[in-house]
Amino acid sequence: MGYHTYKSETDAVIADKNSGDEIFMTTSRLELPFGYIQLLLNGKPIEFEYEKSEYDSYWDENDIEIKPLGAISISIYTDNFNVNDELYIFCSAGGLVSDDGDEYTVNEVAELEEYTYGIGGPDTEYLEWTLGNIPNDVPDSSMCGYTKREVALELVDMTSNGLKYIVVEALKSEVSYLAFSIPIVWEINSKPYAYNIVSCLTCL
């Protein structure tokens, strides 16, 4: 398993010179300007895929579009894991505090000496409740009936170093909520919008 160092937003993506297509990069430890990111499976680092996030635009109070210093998305595919596996999206820099998230998401933000960074993830309790209460006559409301639950992960902890989930059901079928995206965004503290841009883009 190799380590990657993320130097700029273009480093998060490899472009095929012939097709121009962007593909995921894979690493077991991603070095960022403020620390490193690992995906721990039952306490042990594993390889994960990441790419430059497509959600990297923030509009300020003057409706001016601003891009953060960095924005990536980590992909988690729950059909690769087993029931009761613990997944910890670990940020070595620490300092993360809950930022309340959004309707379907949770997020945490840390204000360090030089950088503000944040991490987001699915609010699995809210997703499970919402999907489980869709009327039965709505198409696909039971996620095709493949599982007892609607969502394969359950959020169990939000720590100062990241988000912890457990796999609550092994899903082997191609249905929604098998795959999840974990946004990580950072900005230098000299920017007056540092906290707001990180907070906003980790809720998407």
Side-chain angles (χ1 to χ4, degrees):
M1 293 190 293
Y3 293 177
H4 285 181
T5 300
Y6 185 104
K7 298 177 181 177
S8 69
E9 65 178 72
T10 55
D11 288 337
V13 179
I14 298 176
D16 185 296
K17 293 182 179 179
N18 295 320
S19 68
D21 292 336
E22 294 180 344
I23 62 174
F24 287 102
M25 291 187 70
T26 302
T27 186
S28 60
R29 173 165 156 161
L30 180 59
E31 300 284 352
L32 299 175
F34 52 85
Y36 64 84
I37 305 295
Q38 286 186 309
L39 181 58
L40 304 179
L41 176 63
N42 301 322
K44 297 181 179 179
I46 61 172
E47 290 193 336
F48 58 89
E49 293 181 346
Y50 71 96
E51 65 176 347
K52 179 181 178 295
S53 176
E54 63 180 308
Y55 302 107
D56 63 348
S57 292
Y58 170 79
W59 282 264
D60 67 8
E61 63 274 9
N62 298 313
D63 204 28
I64 297 174
E65 183 181 12
I66 301 173
K67 302 284 187 177
L69 183 62
I72 63 170
S73 178
I74 293 174
S75 295
I76 295 178
Y77 304 98
T78 58
D79 53 344
N80 294 329
F81 306 118
N82 298 311
V83 175
N84 295 325
D85 277 348
E86 181 186 84
L87 305 176
Y88 189 9
I89 302 93
F90 177 81
C91 308
S92 67
L96 290 164
V97 176
S98 174
D99 192 47
D100 295 331
D102 204 345
E103 188 174 15
Y104 296 101
T105 62
V106 296
N107 75 323
E108 296 182 305
V109 177
E111 295 179 280
L112 307 178
E113 183 176 352
E114 187 174 357
Y115 295 95
T116 294
Y117 82 98
I119 178 174
D123 183 345
T124 56
E125 182 179 3
Y126 186 83
L127 282 170
E128 185 67 28
W129 180 87
T130 302
L131 293 170
N133 283 278
I134 296 176
N136 292 329
D137 58 349
V138 176
D140 300 324
S141 64
S142 63
M143 308 299 283
C144 304
Y146 283 114
T147 68
K148 294 179 181 178
R149 283 179 53 90
E150 310 288 359
V151 183
L153 293 179
E154 182 177 338
L155 178 68
V156 293
D157 201 4
M158 299 174 66
T159 79
S160 61
N161 288 98
L163 304 174
K164 285 186 179 182
Y165 292 89
I166 60 169
V167 179
V168 292
E169 186 162 2
L171 307 180
K172 302 300 183 182
S173 304
E174 294 182 359
V175 295
S176 297
Y177 298 102
L178 282 169
F180 294 86
S181 295
I182 304 294
I184 297 175
V185 181
W186 63 97
E187 184 55 86
I188 193 164
N189 284 340
S190 60
K191 303 295 184 180
Y193 51 79
Y195 190 97
N196 288 342
I197 197 170
V198 169
S199 173
C200 175
L201 296 180
T202 50
C203 282
L204 301 176

